């Protein structure tokens, strides 16, 4: 994000009011805009130069060009490391990366082997996305990543195969109801596995804690500028396990909020469309229609889900471990990167 670029003059956090849900939705829609993927290396470097020029005082005020540069930087660079997130694992590529595995898991009449293979693919992608976008103040070792990966895959495959086996055995439901239940099986597997995946991939954060920082007042910010320091130079108050638990829990819940409409709405709409004369006469369009429904719902659901909780979370220092009591900044608050 822009905070990782050198300079002691911070950019406005957003064009929108991040204290409100709809403000966060609009901000999240901006940084998850897939058009930022087209910037490339040269576009990113130009954006970083513009942001640096503002932070060093060469550009005096925000302009549309500078807002666009900030959008590219915020959607590409990790807020903790300042390094680019690998393109397929950026949130701006989330819908596109998930399209293939989501469509695969929604394939009607999928065998147990097919279900397992698509769940393995889905969880592999989830591991990569969760690891790439996690709070990096407590990095995971490769052994922890491998352990979390196998646990998440095992859990999701167990749920998916179990539900796939259960639905055909239901005796007292109509064929149409059984068809709908069959289409919703992937939702239960994806929602539960997605939640578990975040908890497992970021479990080390909850065990060790994540860095928390005092919330700066305008006076504090002016003092930093006078000293030639940036807000990113402020020293961490320490690592908090309670802050980490909150961060991981909220991120896990946002994954469920994101997957719910994607895994539920398109299958139900498709069932209705398959009863229309047009799709009956043109069954070859079933897969393209399904993919279109999934992709469209993905772009709608992602900002709504990610905006449920602020990425830069502010809470009272008194709600954390005793070592942080009385050490909060403005209003007694501390701030930390929740991850996304």
């Amino acid at each position: 994000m822009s905070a990782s670029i050198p300079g002691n003059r911070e950019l406005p956090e957003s064009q929108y009011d991040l204290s409100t849900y709809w403000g966060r939705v609009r901000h999240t829609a901006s940084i998850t805009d897939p058009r930022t993927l087209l910037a490339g290396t040269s576009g990113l470097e130009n954006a970083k130069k513009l942001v640096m020029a503002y932070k060093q005082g060469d550009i005096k005020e925000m302009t549309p060009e500078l807002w666009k540069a900030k959008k590219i930087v915020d959607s590409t660079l990790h807020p903790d490391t300042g390094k680019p997130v690998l393109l397929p694992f950026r949130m701006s590529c989330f819908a596109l990366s998930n399209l293939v595995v989501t469509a695969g898991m929604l394939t009607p009449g999928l065998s147990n082997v097919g279900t397992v293979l698509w769940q393995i693919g889905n969880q592999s992608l989830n591991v990569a996305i969760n690891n790439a976008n996690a709070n990096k103040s407590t990095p995971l070792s490769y052994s922890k990543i491998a352990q979390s990966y196998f646990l998440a895959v095992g859990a999701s495959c167990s749920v998916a195969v179990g539900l796939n086996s259960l639905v055909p055995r239901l005796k007292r439901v109509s064929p149409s109801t059984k068809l709908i239940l069959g289409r919703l099986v992937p939702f239960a597997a994806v929602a539960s596995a997605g939640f578990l995946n975040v908890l497992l991939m970021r479990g080390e954060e909850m065990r060790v804690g994540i860095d928390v920082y005092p919330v700066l007042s305008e006076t504090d910010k002016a003092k930093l500028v006078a000293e030639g320091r940036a807000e990113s130079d402020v020293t961490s108050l320490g690592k908090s396990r309670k802050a980490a638990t909150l961060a991981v829990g909220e991120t896990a819940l946002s994954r469920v909020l994101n997957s719910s409409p994607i895994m539920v709405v398109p299958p139900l709409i498709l069932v209705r469309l398959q009863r229309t004369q047009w799709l009956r006469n043109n069954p070859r369009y079933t897969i393209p229609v399904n993919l279109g429904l999934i992709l469209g719902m993905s772009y709608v659901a992602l900002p709504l889900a990610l905006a449920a909780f602020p990425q830069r979370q502010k809470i009272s220092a008194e709600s954390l471990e005793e070592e942080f009591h009385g050490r909060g900044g403005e209003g007694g608050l501390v701030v930390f990167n929740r991850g996304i």
Side-chain angles (χ1 to χ4, degrees), residues 66-89:
L66 187 53
W67 279 118
K68 182 179 179 181
K70 184 180 186 298
K71 174 179 173 178
I72 292 172
V73 168
D74 286 351
S75 66
T76 305
L77 302 185
H78 193 284
D80 292 332
T81 66
K83 297 179 180 179
V85 175
L86 195 63
L87 189 145
F89 310 138

Side-chain angles (χ1 to χ4, degrees), residues 205-228:
E205 294 176 32
M206 293 188 286
R207 286 186 287 272
V208 177
I210 58 175
D211 286 329
V212 297
Y213 302 86
V215 171
L216 302 177
S217 65
E218 291 304 319
T219 303
D220 294 329
K221 294 176 183 178
K223 185 178 179 181
L224 285 174
V225 172
E227 294 173 353

Side-chain angles (χ1 to χ4, degrees), residues 184-206:
L184 294 179
V185 163
F187 161 66
V190 169
S192 58
F195 186 90
L196 184 61
N197 192 297
V198 175
L199 296 181
L200 292 172
M201 285 305 301
R202 298 181 60 181
E204 193 68 12
E205 294 176 32
M206 293 188 286

Side-chain angles (χ1 to χ4, degrees), residues 123-137:
Q123 289 308 312
S124 298
L125 180 60
N126 281 347
V127 165
I129 291 173
N130 290 333
N131 184 56
N133 294 281
N135 182 298
K136 294 298 184 181
S137 62

Side-chain angles (χ1 to χ4, degrees), residues 275-292:
R275 296 172 183 167
T276 64
Q277 193 63 41
W278 176 77
L279 206 53
R280 284 179 179 177
N281 294 338
N282 300 279
R284 64 184 180 277
Y285 293 134
T286 299
I287 292 178
V289 167
N290 196 20
L291 291 176

